[in-house]
């Protein structure tokens, strides 16, 4: 069966520090991978998605970047965090075969102070 | 970014009562409408993926309907139980889903 792992669960970082959140999927190949963020009081906002290794699409201009170095690994990064980067980050995947529901990781609560 | 609206933002239901709430989305270029349940301290979990106008889906006491021509979907909970307390998210689109802000349901025993 397929599983998705996301870590860390919580992170407190100072403004200006770097960020690396990691997500891995097991039990499937060539998944679509996604990074979503939920800011306080708002819905889930799509940040990045990837349909294959090295293929990253950004949905909103921001201070963050994403990379997919391996088929089932998706990394969210920042060189210098801003206060506005605080939020709850969710990694998700679905099949590359048409309309499919999303499977979400357990999320990372990021607080930038 | 597609505009997906959910209402109400929150509601309280007495145990045993039924309830419903709405998701509105653009009626043009419809692809799919998803419903997710997000319980506290857990990951969002898919309830339904709906693709056809007039679609009705059911999972236990929870059901959903879809009207793509007018751009809305209803989620119904019949005989609410405390374990139904969660935030219910709808999402619209193809493989790049736009999510609504959710309806938070609290079921009181």
């Amino acid at each position: 069966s397929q599983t998705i792992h996301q870590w860390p669960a919580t992170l407190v970082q100072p403004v200006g520090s770097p960020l690396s959140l990691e997500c891995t999927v097991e039990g499937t190949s060539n998944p679509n991978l996604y990074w979503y963020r939920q800011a306080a009081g708002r819905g889930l906002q799509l940040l990045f998605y990837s349909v294959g290794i090295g293929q990253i699409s950004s949905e909103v201009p921001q201070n963050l970047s994403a990379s997919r170095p391996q088929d089932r690994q998706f990394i969210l990064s920042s060189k210098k965090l801003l206060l506005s980067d605080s939020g709850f980050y969710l990694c998700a995947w679905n099949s590359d075969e048409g309309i499919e529901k999303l499977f979400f990781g357990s999320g990372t609560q990021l607080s930038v102070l | 970014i597609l505009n997906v609206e959910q209402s109400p933002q929150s509601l309280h239901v007495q145990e045993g009562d039924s309830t419903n709430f709405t998701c509105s989305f653009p009626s043009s270029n419809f692809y799919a409408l998803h419903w997710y349940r997000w319980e506290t301290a857990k990951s969002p979990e898919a309830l339904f993926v709906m693709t056809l106008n007039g679609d009705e889906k059911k999972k236990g006491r929870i059901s959903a309907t879809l009207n793509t021509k007018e751009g809305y979907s209803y989620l119904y909970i019949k005989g609410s139980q405390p374990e139904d307390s969660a935030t219910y998210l709808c999402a619209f689109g193809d493989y790049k889903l736009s999510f609504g802000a959710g309806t938070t349901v609290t079921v009181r025993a």
Side-chain angles (χ1 to χ4, degrees):
Chain A
S1 63
Q2 302 95 348
T3 55
I4 178 169
H5 302 279
Q6 183 182 342
W7 68 93
T10 60
L11 194 58
V12 180
Q13 293 284 97
V15 169
S17 63
L19 172 74
S20 180
L21 303 181
E22 191 160 341
C23 174
T24 59
V25 179
E26 296 177 357
T28 188
S29 59
N30 197 33
N32 295 327
L33 294 170
Y34 307 84
W35 279 110
Y36 282 90
R37 176 173 61 196
Q38 183 185 40
R42 302 181 65 179
L44 292 177
Q45 181 184 36
L46 179 61
L47 301 176
F48 300 96
Y49 70 94
S50 172
V51 299
I53 296 173
Q55 301 177 60
I56 308 294
S57 295
S58 175
E59 288 300 292
V60 292
Q62 58 203 314
N63 185 41
L64 303 169
S65 62
S67 61
R68 184 170 177 173
Q70 300 180 46
D71 182 46
R72 290 168 289 175
Q73 183 186 27
F74 205 25
I75 298 172
L76 184 70
S77 304
S78 173
K79 292 182 179 178
K80 289 185 178 182
L81 283 168
L82 305 172
L83 289 173
S84 57
D85 293 323
S86 294
F88 190 72
Y89 290 81
L90 278 166
C91 179
W93 76 273
N94 64 3
S95 167
D96 64 346
E97 298 171 353
I99 298 168
E100 270 286 338
K101 60 185 177 182
L102 288 173
F103 296 89
F104 286 90
S106 53
T108 298
Q109 182 65 55
L110 172 66
S111 298
V112 183
L113 305 178
Chain B
I1 299 176
L2 301 169
N3 194 27
V4 181
E5 301 284 343
Q6 289 189 248
S7 64
Q9 183 178 358
S10 65
L11 58 90
H12 291 78
V13 188
Q14 197 67 33
E15 182 177 0
D17 288 351
S18 297
T19 188
N20 65 84
F21 37 93
T22 309
C23 173
S24 301
F25 52 86
S27 56
S28 59
N29 299 319
F30 180 83
Y31 194 82
L33 192 284
H34 297 223
W35 282 101
Y36 292 83
R37 176 169 57 199
W38 194 357
E39 297 178 67
T40 302
K42 294 186 177 181
S43 306
E45 180 183 353
L47 290 172
F48 309 114
V49 179
M50 308 173 78
T51 57
L52 298 175
N53 185 43
D55 240 357
E56 292 188 27
K57 300 271 187 177
K58 187 175 182 181
K59 185 177 182 178
R61 294 177 291 96
I62 300 176
S63 61
T65 61
L66 178 67
N67 184 322
T68 62
K69 294 185 177 179
E70 297 183 35
Y72 65 84
S73 175
Y74 290 126
L75 193 82
Y76 300 87
I77 304 176
K78 182 178 179 181
S80 302
Q81 299 297 310
E83 58 265 30
D84 296 326
S85 296
T87 295
Y88 292 82
L89 303 173
C90 72
F92 169 82
D94 48 22
Y95 57 93
K96 296 186 295 176
L97 292 173
S98 294
F99 279 81
T103 293
T104 299
V105 175
T106 304
V107 181
R108 296 177 290 206

